[in-house]
Amino acid sequence: MFTVNETQFSIHETCNFLVGRNIMKRGQLYAFVTGIFFLSLSILGFIPQLQHPINAIEVHNGLEIQLGYLFGLFPTNPVLNTVYAIVGILGLVSSIGLGGSRFYGRGLFQFFGVLAFLGSLEPTNTFFGFMPLFGSNAVLYGLMSVVSFYFGFIDSPGLLEIAVQPPENAIAIEK
């Protein structure tokens, strides 16, 4: 819930407004929301007070990795937070156009599919000591890969949806 000019809006009402008024297509809205989500996850990952335990050193596959658990749930470190920031910024930029948002969905499907696969394997679940991919991160990546597959490959607007409508105040030119 947020307030604009003393009027309260829910996130659901705002999304319906953006899609219903043809300001954004569903794929663009997905890229925008995903970008906000991962940019927020990145920023929150850099706040030590939200990590429990803070800067824990764990041994995975004989490699020591320093990490914290964001909200006590998602293992994170600065490298992973930087990756999240890049994914978030790309999402915001790609939400500008329909083609870019579809390309973003396809890229996220492949990227998070690989990360989910690597996170589920014991030898590579820390990406060779650079970033934690195990546990709830692997589940998040798997879910993001499935949803990104839908918005990247399946959800495509029809030709009538993407046809440019003339402005309401356009003047007709007679022949």
Side-chain angles (χ1 to χ4, degrees), residues 75-97:
T76 186
N77 68 1
V79 175
L80 190 60
N81 292 335
T82 305
V83 170
Y84 286 164
I86 292 169
V87 169
I89 291 169
L90 287 175
L92 293 177
V93 170
S94 69
S95 70
I96 294 172

PDB file of all heavy atoms in Angstrom, residues 75-97:
ATOM      1  N   PRO A  75      21.588 -17.296   1.691  1.00  0.00           N
ATOM      2  CA  PRO A  75      23.030 -17.051   1.832  1.00  0.00           C
ATOM      3  C   PRO A  75      23.484 -16.001   0.820  1.00  0.00           C
ATOM      4  O   PRO A  75      23.091 -16.044  -0.346  1.00  0.00           O
ATOM      5  CB  PRO A  75      23.665 -18.414   1.556  1.00  0.00           C
ATOM      6  CG  PRO A  75      22.618 -19.259   0.965  1.00  0.00           C
ATOM      7  CD  PRO A  75      21.297 -18.649   1.250  1.00  0.00           C
ATOM      8  N   THR A  76      24.274 -15.063   1.285  1.00  0.00           N
ATOM      9  CA  THR A  76      24.689 -13.969   0.407  1.00  0.00           C
ATOM     10  C   THR A  76      26.100 -13.513   0.753  1.00  0.00           C
ATOM     11  O   THR A  76      26.588 -13.737   1.853  1.00  0.00           O
ATOM     12  CB  THR A  76      23.700 -12.790   0.515  1.00  0.00           C
ATOM     13  OG1 THR A  76      24.051 -11.815  -0.452  1.00  0.00           O
ATOM     14  CG2 THR A  76      23.698 -12.167   1.891  1.00  0.00           C
ATOM     15  N   ASN A  77      26.749 -12.911  -0.209  1.00  0.00           N
ATOM     16  CA  ASN A  77      28.045 -12.260  -0.017  1.00  0.00           C
ATOM     17  C   ASN A  77      28.145 -11.116  -1.032  1.00  0.00           C
ATOM     18  O   ASN A  77      27.261 -10.958  -1.871  1.00  0.00           O
ATOM     19  CB  ASN A  77      29.195 -13.272  -0.136  1.00  0.00           C
ATOM     20  CG  ASN A  77      29.380 -13.835  -1.519  1.00  0.00           C
ATOM     21  OD1 ASN A  77      28.677 -13.482  -2.454  1.00  0.00           O
ATOM     22  ND2 ASN A  77      30.329 -14.734  -1.666  1.00  0.00           N
ATOM     23  N   PRO A  78      29.186 -10.286  -0.962  1.00  0.00           N
ATOM     24  CA  PRO A  78      29.256  -9.127  -1.862  1.00  0.00           C
ATOM     25  C   PRO A  78      29.259  -9.476  -3.352  1.00  0.00           C
ATOM     26  O   PRO A  78      28.707  -8.721  -4.164  1.00  0.00           O
ATOM     27  CB  PRO A  78      30.562  -8.442  -1.461  1.00  0.00           C
ATOM     28  CG  PRO A  78      30.745  -8.810  -0.036  1.00  0.00           C
ATOM     29  CD  PRO A  78      30.222 -10.209   0.084  1.00  0.00           C
ATOM     30  N   VAL A  79      29.859 -10.590  -3.725  1.00  0.00           N
ATOM     31  CA  VAL A  79      29.874 -10.970  -5.142  1.00  0.00           C
ATOM     32  C   VAL A  79      28.451 -11.260  -5.614  1.00  0.00           C
ATOM     33  O   VAL A  79      28.025 -10.794  -6.685  1.00  0.00           O
ATOM     34  CB  VAL A  79      30.799 -12.190  -5.365  1.00  0.00           C
ATOM     35  CG1 VAL A  79      30.728 -12.654  -6.810  1.00  0.00           C
ATOM     36  CG2 VAL A  79      32.223 -11.863  -4.992  1.00  0.00           C
ATOM     37  N   LEU A  80      27.699 -12.018  -4.833  1.00  0.00           N
ATOM     38  CA  LEU A  80      26.319 -12.339  -5.196  1.00  0.00           C
ATOM     39  C   LEU A  80      25.441 -11.088  -5.197  1.00  0.00           C
ATOM     40  O   LEU A  80      24.580 -10.936  -6.064  1.00  0.00           O
ATOM     41  CB  LEU A  80      25.754 -13.382  -4.235  1.00  0.00           C
ATOM     42  CG  LEU A  80      24.409 -13.988  -4.609  1.00  0.00           C
ATOM     43  CD1 LEU A  80      24.483 -14.691  -5.950  1.00  0.00           C
ATOM     44  CD2 LEU A  80      23.959 -14.956  -3.540  1.00  0.00           C
ATOM     45  N   ASN A  81      25.682 -10.182  -4.260  1.00  0.00           N
ATOM     46  CA  ASN A  81      24.922  -8.930  -4.242  1.00  0.00           C
ATOM     47  C   ASN A  81      25.192  -8.104  -5.499  1.00  0.00           C
ATOM     48  O   ASN A  81      24.284  -7.450  -6.021  1.00  0.00           O
ATOM     49  CB  ASN A  81      25.262  -8.116  -3.000  1.00  0.00           C
ATOM     50  CG  ASN A  81      24.761  -8.765  -1.735  1.00  0.00           C
ATOM     51  OD1 ASN A  81      23.805  -9.533  -1.758  1.00  0.00           O
ATOM     52  ND2 ASN A  81      25.416  -8.470  -0.635  1.00  0.00           N
ATOM     53  N   THR A  82      26.426  -8.133  -5.980  1.00  0.00           N
ATOM     54  CA  THR A  82      26.757  -7.419  -7.215  1.00  0.00           C
ATOM     55  C   THR A  82      26.053  -8.052  -8.414  1.00  0.00           C
ATOM     56  O   THR A  82      25.543  -7.345  -9.294  1.00  0.00           O
ATOM     57  CB  THR A  82      28.286  -7.421  -7.428  1.00  0.00           C
ATOM     58  OG1 THR A  82      28.910  -6.877  -6.260  1.00  0.00           O
ATOM     59  CG2 THR A  82      28.675  -6.612  -8.643  1.00  0.00           C
ATOM     60  N   VAL A  83      25.995  -9.383  -8.448  1.00  0.00           N
ATOM     61  CA  VAL A  83      25.270 -10.072  -9.526  1.00  0.00           C
ATOM     62  C   VAL A  83      23.791  -9.688  -9.476  1.00  0.00           C
ATOM     63  O   VAL A  83      23.177  -9.416 -10.510  1.00  0.00           O
ATOM     64  CB  VAL A  83      25.461 -11.603  -9.411  1.00  0.00           C
ATOM     65  CG1 VAL A  83      24.531 -12.343 -10.358  1.00  0.00           C
ATOM     66  CG2 VAL A  83      26.906 -11.973  -9.679  1.00  0.00           C
ATOM     67  N   TYR A  84      23.212  -9.655  -8.269  1.00  0.00           N
ATOM     68  CA  TYR A  84      21.811  -9.252  -8.129  1.00  0.00           C
ATOM     69  C   TYR A  84      21.597  -7.821  -8.618  1.00  0.00           C
ATOM     70  O   TYR A  84      20.576  -7.521  -9.237  1.00  0.00           O
ATOM     71  CB  TYR A  84      21.362  -9.359  -6.679  1.00  0.00           C
ATOM     72  CG  TYR A  84      21.136 -10.753  -6.170  1.00  0.00           C
ATOM     73  CD1 TYR A  84      21.059 -11.002  -4.813  1.00  0.00           C
ATOM     74  CD2 TYR A  84      20.996 -11.840  -7.024  1.00  0.00           C
ATOM     75  CE1 TYR A  84      20.845 -12.279  -4.308  1.00  0.00           C
ATOM     76  CE2 TYR A  84      20.791 -13.119  -6.545  1.00  0.00           C
ATOM     77  CZ  TYR A  84      20.719 -13.330  -5.187  1.00  0.00           C
ATOM     78  OH  TYR A  84      20.513 -14.587  -4.707  1.00  0.00           O
ATOM     79  N   ALA A  85      22.541  -6.929  -8.326  1.00  0.00           N
ATOM     80  CA  ALA A  85      22.410  -5.541  -8.777  1.00  0.00           C
ATOM     81  C   ALA A  85      22.431  -5.461 -10.298  1.00  0.00           C
ATOM     82  O   ALA A  85      21.637  -4.722 -10.906  1.00  0.00           O
ATOM     83  CB  ALA A  85      23.533  -4.689  -8.182  1.00  0.00           C
ATOM     84  N   ILE A  86      23.303  -6.228 -10.935  1.00  0.00           N
ATOM     85  CA  ILE A  86      23.374  -6.235 -12.398  1.00  0.00           C
ATOM     86  C   ILE A  86      22.074  -6.767 -12.991  1.00  0.00           C
ATOM     87  O   ILE A  86      21.522  -6.188 -13.934  1.00  0.00           O
ATOM     88  CB  ILE A  86      24.593  -7.047 -12.870  1.00  0.00           C
ATOM     89  CG1 ILE A  86      25.881  -6.319 -12.477  1.00  0.00           C
ATOM     90  CG2 ILE A  86      24.544  -7.294 -14.367  1.00  0.00           C
ATOM     91  CD1 ILE A  86      27.131  -7.141 -12.659  1.00  0.00           C
ATOM     92  N   VAL A  87      21.556  -7.869 -12.424  1.00  0.00           N
ATOM     93  CA  VAL A  87      20.293  -8.439 -12.914  1.00  0.00           C
ATOM     94  C   VAL A  87      19.154  -7.432 -12.730  1.00  0.00           C
ATOM     95  O   VAL A  87      18.301  -7.264 -13.603  1.00  0.00           O
ATOM     96  CB  VAL A  87      19.991  -9.773 -12.191  1.00  0.00           C
ATOM     97  CG1 VAL A  87      18.574 -10.241 -12.471  1.00  0.00           C
ATOM     98  CG2 VAL A  87      20.983 -10.834 -12.610  1.00  0.00           C
ATOM     99  N   GLY A  88      19.145  -6.719 -11.596  1.00  0.00           N
ATOM    100  CA  GLY A  88      18.103  -5.736 -11.337  1.00  0.00           C
ATOM    101  C   GLY A  88      18.156  -4.553 -12.281  1.00  0.00           C
ATOM    102  O   GLY A  88      17.128  -4.121 -12.817  1.00  0.00           O
ATOM    103  N   ILE A  89      19.334  -4.038 -12.515  1.00  0.00           N
ATOM    104  CA  ILE A  89      19.480  -2.894 -13.425  1.00  0.00           C
ATOM    105  C   ILE A  89      19.109  -3.297 -14.852  1.00  0.00           C
ATOM    106  O   ILE A  89      18.426  -2.556 -15.564  1.00  0.00           O
ATOM    107  CB  ILE A  89      20.905  -2.322 -13.346  1.00  0.00           C
ATOM    108  CG1 ILE A  89      21.111  -1.652 -11.983  1.00  0.00           C
ATOM    109  CG2 ILE A  89      21.177  -1.339 -14.474  1.00  0.00           C
ATOM    110  CD1 ILE A  89      22.535  -1.273 -11.683  1.00  0.00           C
ATOM    111  N   LEU A  90      19.534  -4.486 -15.272  1.00  0.00           N
ATOM    112  CA  LEU A  90      19.152  -4.968 -16.603  1.00  0.00           C
ATOM    113  C   LEU A  90      17.643  -5.128 -16.723  1.00  0.00           C
ATOM    114  O   LEU A  90      17.063  -4.854 -17.779  1.00  0.00           O
ATOM    115  CB  LEU A  90      19.845  -6.293 -16.911  1.00  0.00           C
ATOM    116  CG  LEU A  90      21.331  -6.222 -17.218  1.00  0.00           C
ATOM    117  CD1 LEU A  90      21.915  -7.621 -17.385  1.00  0.00           C
ATOM    118  CD2 LEU A  90      21.589  -5.381 -18.446  1.00  0.00           C
ATOM    119  N   GLY A  91      16.985  -5.558 -15.649  1.00  0.00           N
ATOM    120  CA  GLY A  91      15.528  -5.687 -15.667  1.00  0.00           C
ATOM    121  C   GLY A  91      14.842  -4.342 -15.831  1.00  0.00           C
ATOM    122  O   GLY A  91      13.883  -4.216 -16.596  1.00  0.00           O
ATOM    123  N   LEU A  92      15.317  -3.349 -15.116  1.00  0.00           N
ATOM    124  CA  LEU A  92      14.715  -2.022 -15.229  1.00  0.00           C
ATOM    125  C   LEU A  92      14.929  -1.432 -16.617  1.00  0.00           C
ATOM    126  O   LEU A  92      14.021  -0.829 -17.195  1.00  0.00           O
ATOM    127  CB  LEU A  92      15.297  -1.097 -14.156  1.00  0.00           C
ATOM    128  CG  LEU A  92      14.937  -1.442 -12.717  1.00  0.00           C
ATOM    129  CD1 LEU A  92      15.633  -0.492 -11.751  1.00  0.00           C
ATOM    130  CD2 LEU A  92      13.443  -1.425 -12.505  1.00  0.00           C
ATOM    131  N   VAL A  93      16.121  -1.613 -17.151  1.00  0.00           N
ATOM    132  CA  VAL A  93      16.414  -1.078 -18.482  1.00  0.00           C
ATOM    133  C   VAL A  93      15.612  -1.821 -19.552  1.00  0.00           C
ATOM    134  O   VAL A  93      15.070  -1.212 -20.473  1.00  0.00           O
ATOM    135  CB  VAL A  93      17.931  -1.145 -18.769  1.00  0.00           C
ATOM    136  CG1 VAL A  93      18.235  -0.834 -20.216  1.00  0.00           C
ATOM    137  CG2 VAL A  93      18.676  -0.202 -17.849  1.00  0.00           C
ATOM    138  N   SER A  94      15.501  -3.144 -19.425  1.00  0.00           N
ATOM    139  CA  SER A  94      14.812  -3.918 -20.457  1.00  0.00           C
ATOM    140  C   SER A  94      13.295  -3.751 -20.401  1.00  0.00           C
ATOM    141  O   SER A  94      12.610  -4.081 -21.364  1.00  0.00           O
ATOM    142  CB  SER A  94      15.169  -5.397 -20.346  1.00  0.00           C
ATOM    143  OG  SER A  94      14.609  -5.951 -19.183  1.00  0.00           O
ATOM    144  N   SER A  95      12.771  -3.242 -19.302  1.00  0.00           N
ATOM    145  CA  SER A  95      11.320  -3.056 -19.215  1.00  0.00           C
ATOM    146  C   SER A  95      10.836  -1.882 -20.057  1.00  0.00           C
ATOM    147  O   SER A  95       9.630  -1.682 -20.198  1.00  0.00           O
ATOM    148  CB  SER A  95      10.890  -2.860 -17.755  1.00  0.00           C
ATOM    149  OG  SER A  95      11.331  -1.614 -17.260  1.00  0.00           O
ATOM    150  N   ILE A  96      11.740  -1.141 -20.652  1.00  0.00           N
ATOM    151  CA  ILE A  96      11.360   0.001 -21.482  1.00  0.00           C
ATOM    152  C   ILE A  96      10.625  -0.460 -22.735  1.00  0.00           C
ATOM    153  O   ILE A  96       9.639   0.139 -23.142  1.00  0.00           O
ATOM    154  CB  ILE A  96      12.604   0.836 -21.840  1.00  0.00           C
ATOM    155  CG1 ILE A  96      13.179   1.477 -20.581  1.00  0.00           C
ATOM    156  CG2 ILE A  96      12.276   1.884 -22.886  1.00  0.00           C
ATOM    157  CD1 ILE A  96      14.510   2.149 -20.792  1.00  0.00           C
ATOM    158  N   GLY A  97      11.093  -1.550 -23.340  1.00  0.00           N
ATOM    159  CA  GLY A  97      10.474  -2.023 -24.575  1.00  0.00           C
ATOM    160  C   GLY A  97      10.044  -3.472 -24.471  1.00  0.00           C
ATOM    161  O   GLY A  97      10.557  -4.232 -23.656  1.00  0.00           O
TER     162      GLY A  97
END
